[in-house]
Amino acid sequence: MVQSTATTVPAAKLRRIALDAQGLLKTAPFGRGRNATRRAIAAIGYVQIDTISVVARAHHHVLHSRVPNYEPAHLDRLQRDGHIFEYWYHAAAYLPMRDYRFALPRMESMRNRTERWVRSRDEKLMHEVLTRIEAEGPLMARDFENPAAGSAGWWNWKPAKQALEQLFMQGVLMVAGRSGFQKNYDLRERILPAGTDTRMPDDAETAAYLLRTMLNAHGFITPKEVTHLRQGKPIRAALKALLEEALASKRLTLIRQPCGALAYADPERLETRAAPASGRALLLSPFDNLVIHRDRVQSVFDFDYQIECYVNEKHRRYGYYSLPIVHRDRLVGRADCKTHRQESRFEIRHLHFEESVDTNTDGFFPDIADAFQRYARFNGCSEISLTRATPAREGRALELALRT
């Protein structure tokens, strides 16, 4: 590794760089409407898809946080028009179509069965599923629930769903869109826009893509973050070579984070005065790109965060689905929330602010109340209720702000 002296950067500047790169520092950094949604996805690299629906699903929530007038229809239209596609980043995600070729290595490993993730090994069923889609057009898993009239009657939802997902992961099928949360699968050649780059990238190209995407989305990165959940030594070796060359040519510089860990950053970003934090608050999805790397969040924001929906209930500290709360350039707390859609009521089941946060700052609770009101409206709720707060006085202050 090329030796380079690490520059110490104040935590406050790193926070603003990270928030600005993520489109969370300004009110409408990507503009408004469908094109802003497309720009937001391109800027942060991907939007994770998740099934949990106690509040708005994660992919809609992430985009709502960055595009003030975001609507789920924006995402549907972008997918239908070929601007984005569904596949795997480090999890199921929407990705810019420009990056399609970098999904090809995983597709190939799925076809070669070298990938550990396998949904179906039933080649006959996969052939039958593919034959139906070729003949009938886009189909969902539920279209295979019942046998067609006069058929042998062997269709069963679970095996068929597994076959569809296997063909999807192999790149034979793509998702044409969704009905509710159900995928519509179609042939790749009927979905992939003409002119899409389908050249198989080598390890160096893939490492360069990951590095470029992560630097653009986060402002500064560690090798561990770049290769998060990526299998294989070749990618790591290629990334190491890229970082060494970038340091030698001064295209990147080495910085030291508050925790002492080293990271890589664009020198121009460091030399530019950090943008001021706007006086507003946001509720983030637990799957938001800002908080997906827990070590980074702990180091830069001094915020210990875990999604507790995967934790046994008796061991939860904050609640099933706690949303991180951003105020100005800090992560100040979290709120376990649930949408009661039939009642049009947004419930704050447990509100908790960090002990280090000064909640007596002018405008603090009005800003937090505004964030809850905006997010409740996005969830289709006209009423907000607070069940519990720690400490209780913070809950009373928020309830007063909500009534004002």
Side-chain angles (χ1 to χ4, degrees):
M1 175 65 71
V2 174
Q3 296 298 313
S4 179
T5 303
T7 302
T8 300
V9 183
K13 181 163 186 174
L14 289 181
R15 290 197 303 268
R16 292 197 294 276
I17 288 173
L19 287 165
D20 191 43
Q22 278 290 312
L24 295 170
L25 201 60
K26 301 172 185 175
T27 301
F30 306 110
R32 295 174 180 271
R34 190 169 69 246
N35 284 334
T37 301
R38 177 177 54 80
R39 286 190 288 270
I41 297 171
I44 63 177
Y46 72 95
V47 174
Q48 186 168 335
I49 303 169
D50 195 73
T51 60
I52 296 173
S53 60
V54 291
V55 293
R57 295 190 194 275
H59 41 291
H60 295 312
H61 188 170
V62 167
L63 292 167
H64 163 75
S65 298
R66 291 159 173 81
V67 182
N69 66 338
Y70 170 76
E71 298 175 8
H74 295 161
L75 201 58
D76 296 337
R77 181 63 181 273
L78 289 172
Q79 188 170 29
R80 289 199 308 272
D81 289 352
H83 294 297
I84 60 175
F85 71 104
E86 289 188 38
Y87 198 62
W88 208 258
Y89 189 72
H90 61 73
Y94 289 103
L95 298 127
M97 189 62 76
R98 70 176 187 206
D99 296 338
Y100 179 80
R101 68 183 294 239
F102 297 104
L104 295 176
R106 188 184 293 272
M107 294 176 186
E108 182 178 57
S109 68
M110 289 298 301
R111 289 192 296 272
N112 295 338
R113 307 291 179 142
T114 56
E115 176 74 41
R116 289 182 296 178
W117 190 102
V118 175
R119 280 291 182 266
S120 177
R121 299 184 185 278
D122 190 335
E123 297 290 344
K124 179 182 177 184
L125 178 56
M126 290 165 61
H127 175 74
E128 294 289 347
V129 163
L130 193 58
T131 298
R132 276 196 62 185
I133 292 175
E134 287 174 344
E136 301 176 35
L139 293 175
M140 295 179 286
R142 69 187 183 199
D143 293 317
F144 298 94
E145 287 179 7
N146 300 310
S151 73
W154 56 270
W155 291 106
N156 179 278
W157 185 87
K158 288 185 178 179
K161 171 66 173 176
Q162 292 166 352
L164 286 165
E165 281 296 292
Q166 186 67 30
L167 289 164
F168 165 70
M169 290 300 293
Q170 290 180 1
V172 179
L173 297 179
M174 291 183 71
V175 178
R178 288 179 179 255
S179 299
F181 198 62
Q182 296 293 310
K183 295 177 183 176
N184 283 287
Y185 300 89
D186 201 357
L187 303 179
R188 183 179 86 155
E189 54 265 33
R190 294 203 289 236
I191 294 178
L192 201 64
T196 302
D197 191 346
T198 57
R199 294 173 298 146
M200 180 69 71
D202 59 24
D203 291 327
E205 289 175 309
T206 300
Y209 153 70
L210 293 172
L211 178 60
R212 180 175 63 251
T213 300
M214 289 292 291
L215 276 172
N216 188 60
H218 294 283
F220 54 93
I221 53 85
T222 67
K224 180 181 176 182
E225 292 162 359
V226 175
T227 58
H228 180 56
L229 297 182
R230 298 278 170 168
Q231 300 297 321
K233 293 181 180 179
I235 291 294
R236 288 170 173 77
L239 176 63
K240 181 180 179 182
L242 281 173
L243 290 173
E244 287 181 345
E245 191 280 326
L247 283 179
S249 64
K250 302 188 184 304
R251 289 186 291 105
L252 291 181
T253 190
L254 206 57
I255 66 170
R256 191 173 298 280
Q257 298 183 78
C259 67
L262 298 178
Y264 298 82
D266 179 348
E268 289 187 14
R269 217 162 201 163
L270 294 178
E271 292 166 6
T272 303
R273 184 177 179 180
S278 62
R280 66 169 187 151
L282 289 169
L283 302 177
L284 299 183
S285 165
F287 297 97
D288 195 281
N289 302 44
L290 182 77
V291 299
I292 208 68
H293 298 286
R294 307 305 186 216
D295 292 346
R296 177 189 183 88
V297 174
Q298 178 72 66
S299 172
V300 178
F301 291 92
D302 191 24
F303 192 72
D304 182 13
Y305 184 66
Q306 180 182 21
I307 303 174
E308 294 187 329
C309 55
Y310 304 123
V311 175
N312 186 287
E313 186 173 2
K314 65 182 180 181
H315 295 136
R316 290 175 191 153
R317 298 169 60 195
Y318 304 107
Y320 176 79
Y321 202 68
S322 288
L323 312 180
I325 304 172
V326 177
H327 184 241
R328 298 184 184 273
D329 67 347
R330 301 285 301 276
L331 285 167
V332 298
R334 63 204 86 200
D336 182 35
C337 299
K338 182 176 182 179
T339 297
H340 300 273
R341 293 176 175 86
Q342 291 186 338
E343 304 170 31
S344 188
R345 178 170 62 90
F346 185 85
E347 180 188 7
I348 307 170
R349 304 175 73 180
H350 184 200
L351 175 68
H352 180 275
F353 291 109
E354 300 297 286
E355 291 182 3
S356 60
V357 173
D358 182 6
T359 60
N360 294 315
T361 304
D362 286 345
F364 182 84
F365 281 106
D367 290 346
I368 302 296
D370 179 64
F372 276 109
Q373 288 163 340
R374 283 185 284 110
Y375 189 60
R377 288 195 297 271
F378 182 67
N379 279 269
C381 295
S382 56
E383 178 187 349
I384 299 175
S385 64
L386 175 62
T387 302
R388 180 164 70 102
T390 305
R393 68 178 181 275
E394 311 289 17
R396 291 191 292 271
L398 178 62
E399 287 181 315
L400 178 61
L402 287 168
R403 291 195 299 268
T404 302

